Amino acid sequence: MNEERVQIIGNDMIIDSSLWHACAGRLVHVPPVNSTVSYFPQGHFEHAGMENTDDAIATASRIPWRIQCRVTSVELKMDSRTEEVYTKIHLNPILTNNNNSTDDDKDYALSESLNLFGRSQFLTKVLTQSDANNGGGFSVPKKLAETIFPPLNYKITKPGIENLPSQDILARDYRGNIWKFRHVYRGNPLRHLLTTGWSKFVTAKQVVSGDTIVFGRDDNGDVYVGIRRVRRARWQGRIRAESVLEAARLAAIGRGFEVRYYPSSSTTEFCVVDSVVNATKRKMVNEFGAGTRIKMAFETLNSTGVEPVGWYKGSIESVEDVDPNHWPGSLWRRLKDRNLRIVI
């Protein structure tokens, strides 16, 4: 892995886009610099776990549910202690009420999908209880082993376990540490395993069942390893309530502000490219209604990198404000399905 891909500043690491997205997940969207976005204070409060607090409710009465902003800078970062990825986005409110998308916004979805991972390859697996047991090994999906790891020599000339295909894998993490794993191909049926070195990695990284392991290979052929953490209860409060309230206040008075976004399966983006918001508004009027069939993408638990996206299918039960008292007319979670509230 190229050393210049990671820059450590205090407790933060600024990392290469392809590495960041590998740990964030394929469905995470980061608005590009100079794009026009809609900032949803309601979603920001929710992201910080403070949507029902007195401070949030008092602030909500003074702030619009949607504030158009220009993205002036984006930093893709990772906490060097937990290796959890997040992004810092600096926004400048747009004082004129312009609901039209810019050309950059229209091209956003295509350009992002083309450039999301650069020349790096990565594959992932959600860790099972057996994988996360620090006394065991890691069962490697066949495609991951054959795509990311160097090729094994499958030509066995002598019987015996010691003659089964095996090799040492050197993988660099985002701190720059090198991890040595023994990669073997054995068992009945035959399968790829990481044995020696895996238990040490599990203990040091404090991984648990449900975390996602990310193995990648860059354009130089170097292997790297990262973790996409399942959300921990102890991480609640990592975004200070004061910073959220200050961001919402500055946005409402037209001054520049900064937000942090921690992607996970249970959090939702609250800075959304305007072209997406405007398209959704049109659909709210012309297409969406009770009984409308819908589908929503989600990343599957056993993502292999080939078919990483599954689809939730259902129908709209109602179209209504989730909090009409404090955010009347808001698009945030306005579509109600029988099982969930759907973000725009």
Side-chain angles (χ1 to χ4, degrees), residues 89-110:
I89 305 174
H90 193 274
L91 303 163
N92 278 339
I94 299 172
L95 298 181
T96 57
N97 186 19
N98 177 15
N99 286 326
N100 296 321
S101 302
T102 66
D103 290 338
D104 288 343
D105 298 335
K106 293 175 183 177
D107 294 338
Y108 167 68
L110 176 61

Side-chain angles (χ1 to χ4, degrees), residues 21-157:
H21 280 284
C23 280
R26 284 179 178 265
L27 297 180
V28 172
H29 302 104
V30 178
V33 174
N34 292 326
S35 63
T36 305
V37 301
S38 289
Y39 165 65
F40 292 89
Q42 189 177 2
H44 198 183
F45 291 148
E46 180 181 305
H47 187 61
M50 55 177 290
E51 66 268 31
N52 294 319
T53 65
D54 291 341
D55 283 344
I57 291 172
T59 302
S61 63
R62 305 190 300 271
I63 294 178
W65 60 265
R66 173 193 184 189
I67 300 172
Q68 287 183 297
C69 300
R70 179 75 62 182
V71 178
T72 57
S73 69
V74 173
E75 292 182 21
L76 304 179
K77 312 192 82 172
M78 178 179 286
D79 190 302
S80 62
R81 295 165 297 186
T82 65
E83 297 191 12
E84 186 190 15
V85 295
Y86 66 95
T87 182
K88 280 185 178 180
I89 305 174
H90 193 274
L91 303 163
N92 278 339
I94 299 172
L95 298 181
T96 57
N97 186 19
N98 177 15
N99 286 326
N100 296 321
S101 302
T102 66
D103 290 338
D104 288 343
D105 298 335
K106 293 175 183 177
D107 294 338
Y108 167 68
L110 176 61
S111 64
E112 186 190 44
S113 65
L114 291 175
N115 299 315
L116 194 57
F117 303 109
R119 291 177 291 175
S120 299
Q121 291 180 290
F122 82 95
L123 289 171
T124 66
K125 180 191 176 185
V126 176
L127 298 180
T128 64
Q129 191 66 51
S130 176
D131 293 327
N133 184 343
N134 63 9
F138 173 59
S139 179
V140 185
K142 180 180 178 181
K143 184 170 180 63
L144 191 158
E146 294 180 348
T147 302
I148 304 300
F149 297 163
L152 283 169
N153 180 8
Y154 292 101
K155 296 179 180 179
I156 303 172
T157 57

Side-chain angles (χ1 to χ4, degrees), residues 273-294:
V273 173
D274 254 9
S275 56
V276 174
V277 177
N278 293 330
T280 302
K281 285 184 69 176
R282 289 191 293 270
K283 288 184 177 182
M284 291 281 190
V285 175
N286 302 318
E287 299 179 29
F288 292 153
T292 303
R293 298 289 297 173
I294 56 172

Side-chain angles (χ1 to χ4, degrees), residues 78-300:
M78 178 179 286
D79 190 302
S80 62
R81 295 165 297 186
T82 65
E83 297 191 12
E84 186 190 15
V85 295
Y86 66 95
T87 182
K88 280 185 178 180
I89 305 174
H90 193 274
L91 303 163
N92 278 339
I94 299 172
L95 298 181
T96 57
N97 186 19
N98 177 15
N99 286 326
N100 296 321
S101 302
T102 66
D103 290 338
D104 288 343
D105 298 335
K106 293 175 183 177
D107 294 338
Y108 167 68
L110 176 61
S111 64
E112 186 190 44
S113 65
L114 291 175
N115 299 315
L116 194 57
F117 303 109
R119 291 177 291 175
S120 299
Q121 291 180 290
F122 82 95
L123 289 171
T124 66
K125 180 191 176 185
V126 176
L127 298 180
T128 64
Q129 191 66 51
S130 176
D131 293 327
N133 184 343
N134 63 9
F138 173 59
S139 179
V140 185
K142 180 180 178 181
K143 184 170 180 63
L144 191 158
E146 294 180 348
T147 302
I148 304 300
F149 297 163
L152 283 169
N153 180 8
Y154 292 101
K155 296 179 180 179
I156 303 172
T157 57
K158 298 179 181 179
I161 293 178
E162 68 277 7
N163 296 311
L164 291 176
S166 63
Q167 64 180 335
D168 288 331
I169 300 293
L170 299 179
R172 186 188 300 272
D173 67 17
Y174 299 118
R175 301 174 190 267
N177 299 322
I178 301 293
W179 296 89
K180 183 178 180 179
F181 303 111
R182 190 64 176 168
H183 173 208
V184 299
Y185 185 64
R186 71 185 189 202
N188 187 17
L190 289 169
R191 58 184 178 140
H192 295 271
L193 297 167
L194 294 185
T195 55
T196 305
W198 176 253
S199 179
K200 181 179 179 181
F201 179 85
V202 167
T203 301
K205 298 294 186 180
Q206 299 182 9
V207 299
V208 299
S209 175
D211 283 347
T212 298
I213 191 76
V214 179
F215 276 103
R217 188 182 67 197
D218 67 13
D219 46 349
N220 294 321
D222 296 323
V223 176
Y224 58 87
V225 60
I227 303 166
R228 187 184 308 160
R229 304 282 190 180
V230 68
R231 198 172 192 187
R232 312 285 210 267
R234 67 176 182 270
W235 289 348
Q236 296 291 338
R238 60 196 163 179
I239 301 177
R240 294 184 300 110
E242 294 82 0
S243 67
V244 178
L245 293 168
E246 179 65 4
R249 185 188 70 81
L250 291 172
I253 62 176
R255 294 179 59 185
F257 62 102
E258 184 179 85
V259 299
R260 284 191 180 201
Y261 170 64
Y262 288 81
S264 79
S265 60
S266 55
T267 62
T268 304
E269 295 150 19
F270 51 86
C271 294
V272 184
V273 173
D274 254 9
S275 56
V276 174
V277 177
N278 293 330
T280 302
K281 285 184 69 176
R282 289 191 293 270
K283 288 184 177 182
M284 291 281 190
V285 175
N286 302 318
E287 299 179 29
F288 292 153
T292 303
R293 298 289 297 173
I294 56 172
K295 65 178 182 179
M296 185 172 66
F298 65 94
E299 190 155 6
T300 61

